C-alpha cells in the first residue's frame, strides 16, 4: 500500500510539473474617452485580481506630484493632446514589470493609442491574449465624460447623473478632471477616431468588439465571456 501511495504521489508530482500552466489574463481594453473603460476595469479587477495599469491615472499622478515626467506631460494633457509615446511607454513598462502583473496577469487601460505604442509593446514581449474594444456613440461619450467627477481622496469616479456620490461629505469634495471639459473632450474624441483603426488593426486576431452603450453589468457579461474564451485558446 505504501509503495502504491508513493508511486501515485510521484505520478501526480510529475503531472503537476509538466501540465501546461493556465493562461493568466493579458488584456488591453480600448474605447473612446467616456466609453466605460474605467467601470469595466473595476469589475475585471474584482473578478480576476489582475493588475490594472491605467496610464491616464499614472500620468495624472505624476502631474499632481510634480515629477519630471509629470511636468513634461502636463502641457500635452492640458490641451487634450496625446502625451508622447516615450512618456507613456516608460510608465507602462515599469507597471508591467511588477510581481503582481507577472503573477496575476495585467489589464492595460489607456494604451496603446498609436501604432508606435503597439510596436513598443510587441518589442517588450507584452502581447495580449485579448483586445477589448468598447463601442459607444460620440454624443454618449461626451455626456458621460463631462458629467464625471473624481474624489481626490480615493480617486474613485462618480457621475452627476449616472453614479452620484453616496453621501454629502464625498459630494462636497468632488472635482472635475482637467480633461473632462467639452473643449478637451471634443479634441480627445477626434484624436481617438484618428488613431483607433491603426491600433485595432494591430490586434485584429485578438479583438472582440462590445456594445458599451448599455448598463455596466450587461456590458460586463459580454466582457467576462470574452475573457474566459481568450484564456481557453
Amino acid at each position: 500500500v505504501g509503495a502504491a501511495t508513493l508511486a501515485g504521489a510521484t505520478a501526480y508530482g510529475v503531472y503537476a510539473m509538466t501540465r501546461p500552466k493556465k493562461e493568466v489574463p493579458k488584456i488591453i481594453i480600448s474605447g473612446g474617452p467616456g466609453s466605460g473603460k474605467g467601470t469595466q476595469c473595476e469589475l475585471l479587477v474584482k473578478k480576476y485580481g489582475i493588475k490594472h495599469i491605467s496610464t491616464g491615472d499614472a500620468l495624472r499622478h505624476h502631474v499632481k506630484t510634480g515629477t519630471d515626467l509629470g511636468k513634461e506631460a502636463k502641457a500635452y494633457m492640458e490641451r487634450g493632446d496625446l502625451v508622447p509615446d516615450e512618456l507613456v511607454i516608460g510608465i507602462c513598462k515599469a507597471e508591467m514589470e511588477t510581481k503582481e502583473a507577472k503573477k496575476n496577469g495585467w489589464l492595460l487601460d489607456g494604451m496603446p493609442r498609436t501604432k508606435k505604442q503597439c510596436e513598443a509593446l510587441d518589442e517588450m514581449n507584452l502581447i495580449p491574449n485579448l483586445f477589448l474594444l468598447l463601442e459607444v456613440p460620440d454624443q454618449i461619450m461626451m455626456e458621460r465624460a463631462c458629467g464625471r467627477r473624481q474624489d481626490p481622496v480615493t480617486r474613485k469616479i462618480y457621475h452627476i447623473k449616472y453614479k452620484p456620490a453616496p453621501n454629502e461629505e464625498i459630494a462636497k469634495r468632488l472635482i472635475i478632471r482637467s480633461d473632462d471639459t467639452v473643449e478637451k473632450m471634443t479634441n480627445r474624441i477626434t484624436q481617438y477616431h484618428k488613431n483607433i483603426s491603426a491600433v485595432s488593426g494591430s490586434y485584429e486576431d485578438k479583438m472582440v468588439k462590445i456594445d458599451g452603450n448599455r448598463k455596466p453589468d450587461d456590458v460586463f457579461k459580454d466582457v467576462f465571456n470574452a475573457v474566459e474564451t481568450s484564456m481557453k485558446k
Side-chain angles (χ1 to χ4, degrees), residues 83 85 88-89 110-121:
V83 176
D85 292 325
V88 180
I89 291 165
M111 178 188 168
R113 288 182 177 174
T114 64
K115 180 72 173 174
K116 185 176 178 181
Q117 290 177 359
C118 295
E119 292 167 353
L121 288 175

Side-chain angles (χ1 to χ4, degrees), residues 64-94:
K64 186 179 178 181
T65 53
T67 65
D68 289 342
L69 188 149
K71 290 172 185 173
E72 200 173 340
K74 186 176 181 181
Y76 294 94
M77 294 175 72
E78 286 183 341
R79 290 194 302 270
D81 290 338
L82 289 180
V83 176
D85 292 325
E86 291 74 18
L87 299 181
V88 180
I89 291 165
I91 285 178
C92 181
K93 190 171 188 294

Side-chain angles (χ1 to χ4, degrees), residues 172-186:
K172 283 181 178 178
R173 70 182 186 226
L174 296 182
I175 59 171
I176 300 174
R177 297 192 312 193
S178 63
D179 47 359
D180 282 343
T181 63
V182 173
E183 185 184 358
K184 304 273 180 62
M185 272 298 295
T186 301

Side-chain angles (χ1 to χ4, degrees), residues 32-35 136-145 185 189 193:
S35 60
V136 177
D138 290 359
Q139 186 180 349
I140 301 297
M141 289 194 291
M142 182 72 78
E143 181 187 90
R144 286 180 178 180
M185 272 298 295
I189 290 173
H193 286 302

Side-chain angles (χ1 to χ4, degrees), residues 192-206:
Y192 168 72
H193 286 302
K194 182 180 172 184
N195 289 288
I196 188 57
S197 57
V199 172
S200 59
S202 298
Y203 300 108
E204 215 161 355
D205 58 331
K206 310 276 181 72

